[in-house]
Amino acid sequence: MKTLAILLSLLLGLFWGAYSQDKTAIIYGMIVDENEQRLSGVSISILGKQGGLRSNDSGYFRITVPAGKAIALIFTYTGYKPQQKNFLLNNAETETITIRMEKGAQELKEVTVTDERSRREAGLVNINPKLALNIPGPGGSIENLIKVFVGTNNELTSNYNVRGGSYDENLIYVNDFEIYRPYLVRSGQQEGLSFINPEMTRSVNFYNGGFQSRYGDKLSSVLDIQYKKPKTFGGSAYIGLLEQGLQLEGTGAKNKFSWLIGARNRSNRNLLSSQETKGNYVPSAADLQGLFTWEFNSKWTAEFIGNISGTKFTLEPEFSQPSAAVFSPFFSANLGLDIYFEGREEDSYSTNMAGLSVINQPRKNLRLKWMASRFSNKEKESIDITGAYLFGERSFDRSMPEFGLIINPLGAGVFQNYARNSLDIEVWNLSHKGIYDRGNHYLQWGLGVDRQQITDQLREFEYQDSAGYSLPYQPGELSLFNRLRSSADFSVNRFSGYFQDNISVGDSSGLSIQAGVRFNYNDLNEELLISPRAGISWKPISWKRDIIFRGSAGIYHQPPFYREMRRYDGSINYSLKAQKSWQLSGGFDYNFKAFDRMLRLTTEAYYKSMWDVVPYDIDNVRMRYFGENNAKAYAAGLEARLFGEVVRDAESYISVGFMRTREDIEGDQFYNYTIDSLNRPIDSTLTENGWLRRPTDRLVTVGIFFQDYLSTNKNFKVYVNTIYGANLPYNIPNSVKYRNALVIDPYLRIDIGFSALLLNSDPAKRRSHSPFRNFENLWASLEVFNIIDRANTISYLLIKDFSNTTYTIPNRLTPRLVNLKLVARW
């Protein structure tokens, strides 16, 4: 927490330090045109600051500026080119200047229109997709932006956890089509590209709870993505050490047809080569996406979206030498583990998706949409890795010849991990959605049916040998430490629908109400689910403050998908029921002015009560479910977010969350034994765990995204991305007594990026024969990931010594790394 306090102090200093200006200077001057005629009404502002002034009727102006620092004045006037003048003045100094404006087309700034209705929806966070390539971090995706608001504990994955839920509790839509992800991935380093292409994205709506009936059946969140619909030809390209991409867009047939295509390639080899396990990493991921729109006439439009994605991961590990310090009243040591490997791992994940929608708008207030889609996912895992290890106390004395070596062995052995797993999933969907606007009533409805076909084969085992004994030790037998062998081939048909009404009570009351209901039925467990949901918002009309109060309440169900149905032993629970919850949330959205800036503060408190819960463990990113509805749980918390332009035209935000989530698993009983002097049990006590921390229980989460530029030049920018999360529980797999036995230390990561405009954004200033004459801009950026080089922990290795005592060795995430990137748009 001390590190967090220092970090927050530094960043808050960046946020507010610019406002404590005591020393000032005066700039006095006159503004004229090319003919020396004085210009009145010219806008004058300090670069990066809100507000400003205008020249008077005689063309004169007088402005007070900070002294002792470089600043820039910007002069703008309709029909004339903007002018910039830089200054560095002493305290109480007065500077007199004359500004000559040149005629020319003034560059129009992009105007962002914010729909107040989005402020009225509970749990909704609007995210600017243009920041995805700017935000420093290994991911470079839309999910990286979301993690600032919800937190994370693994920078190698696009997974995120919302209000105590697992990643499987999140819904993702692109242009109203639901998106799925690979299932067999067990570690972040195996992941490829996120489905969402940031360069193709037009809008991002993220609901971290309280979402409406029109969205599907999950417990935690909704990510609603809309891709762009091009108006002219354009595109972008970027190249970096981790990822490269190309995006093109255009129109045809007199703007009746539009097309949008994006291709990406990613390799995390440079990122993974710095991890503790050394070896030959060959990760690769590539995808191709397209969105094509035909507007037949003013009433009929067709849209096709397609995606082809492939990820391969190959690893030939050589050695690993993790270390951990152990301190207790009885024992202190710097423990180390030396592992030498043989074998290899080969994984492949292939995902294809195609969707066609037809939109009919017979009237201005009526919109009908029919959709058909197919999602296909083929995954294979092939692992055959053997390791020999030596465990004990490691020497960290650089003056000694045994520095880095294990000098006091505590254990030795070998292990073998073997897997031959395959999974094929196909999802077919047909659905209809409608919207009818009746003024004060905004009606929405939908019906859908989808068929899921799952074919799975699970073949894996783990063998462990410690000091010549196979674990678990059974005299006369060779035993496997862990063994899974199962297969499944089944299909399930799901039927769902919703109806909701968004009601505007009247402008004079400032009251809006949303009410709706969903239903869901599947023929596998034959369970019918009804989910009523409601939301309310109120903006006090008589108040001078721009504040909106909002709240939501509803029932949320999550019918089981394949991952939840598979037990620890690999068997499938075909009768598994849906996880269920009721949820309440309430808060406010407040726009206000402070320090000459417009800021926005949102807060929300929430409570989720859950039953028929399927417990799970998290090992890296692999979800291991119990496969039984044998738990109840709750989550409660408070979130606050502050948005604003700390410097003009550079939005920054800070998010703070407090949460507690607990679960009570049925039958989690165990015996505590009393041992005599001969190590024999003489008595026992039956103990029940009761309420325990869930795997995602994190008390405090802080996310900060800050951007700035030079006071005299907006073409040089800096971005800082900071995420802090308090500790997490870590469960010993398949152990009732030692559930919540371990704790993962708090996660803290600071990434920083610097960018520079290499190509002037004014095409008129380029030569006619320049190869860049049609480019809009060209940016180069330098990113430093994990600048404080913190060794964050993602999971633990459990190692036993010769006396059968268990020690934990942390698995670390990525250290400091530098990335270069070049981005061009035209």
Side-chain angles (χ1 to χ4, degrees), residues 486-533:
S486 69
S487 60
D489 188 354
F490 67 96
S491 62
V492 54
N493 297 306
R494 300 181 186 270
F495 306 89
S496 62
Y498 66 89
F499 178 83
Q500 74 175 51
D501 185 9
N502 289 36
I503 307 167
S504 177
V505 178
D507 294 337
S508 59
S509 67
L511 187 66
S512 296
I513 300 173
Q514 172 272 318
V517 63
R518 283 192 68 85
F519 80 87
N520 186 289
Y521 174 81
N522 74 81
D523 61 1
L524 187 65
N525 61 15
E526 298 181 342
E527 187 177 25
L528 176 64
L529 304 170
I530 305 295
S531 307
R533 303 172 189 175

Side-chain angles (χ1 to χ4, degrees), residues 198-341:
E199 287 295 277
M200 298 174 65
T201 302
R202 172 173 57 90
S203 67
V204 180
N205 289 334
F206 176 64
Y207 295 83
N208 56 7
F211 47 91
Q212 302 177 3
S213 301
R214 61 193 176 100
Y215 292 112
D217 298 281
K218 291 292 182 74
L219 295 181
S220 290
S221 75
V222 174
L223 178 59
D224 189 355
I225 302 291
Q226 291 294 320
Y227 277 175
K228 296 187 290 188
K229 293 185 179 178
K231 302 296 183 181
T232 59
F233 176 77
S236 64
Y238 62 93
I239 183 171
L241 297 180
L242 299 178
E243 186 175 326
Q244 306 81 40
L246 174 66
Q247 176 259 326
L248 297 171
E249 59 186 64
T251 62
K254 298 181 180 180
N255 292 329
K256 295 290 186 182
F257 171 72
S258 67
W259 53 273
L260 177 65
I261 298 175
R264 294 177 295 170
N265 179 73
R266 182 175 180 85
S267 174
N268 286 339
R269 190 166 190 168
N270 291 333
L271 195 64
L272 301 179
S273 62
S274 59
Q275 292 203 279
E276 286 182 327
T277 299
K278 305 301 179 183
N280 183 25
Y281 289 88
V282 188
S284 64
D287 79 339
L288 176 66
Q289 293 189 45
L291 176 67
F292 306 91
T293 305
W294 294 267
E295 185 179 338
F296 301 109
N297 51 49
S298 60
K299 295 183 178 181
W300 289 93
T301 303
E303 184 178 273
F304 175 81
I305 184 171
N307 171 72
I308 301 174
S309 175
T311 300
K312 293 184 178 181
F313 177 79
T314 302
L315 169 61
E316 295 180 358
E318 296 175 358
F319 67 91
S320 180
Q321 294 180 314
S323 300
V326 174
F327 303 100
S328 75
F330 311 103
F331 182 76
S332 298
N334 290 314
L335 299 181
L337 178 66
D338 290 350
I339 311 176
Y340 295 89
F341 300 97

Side-chain angles (χ1 to χ4, degrees), residues 779-797:
W779 288 87
S781 61
L782 169 69
E783 298 174 321
V784 184
F785 304 147
N786 194 6
I787 192 170
I788 60 175
D789 201 24
R790 179 179 172 86
N792 289 301
T793 299
I794 183 60
S795 60
Y796 288 104
L797 288 172

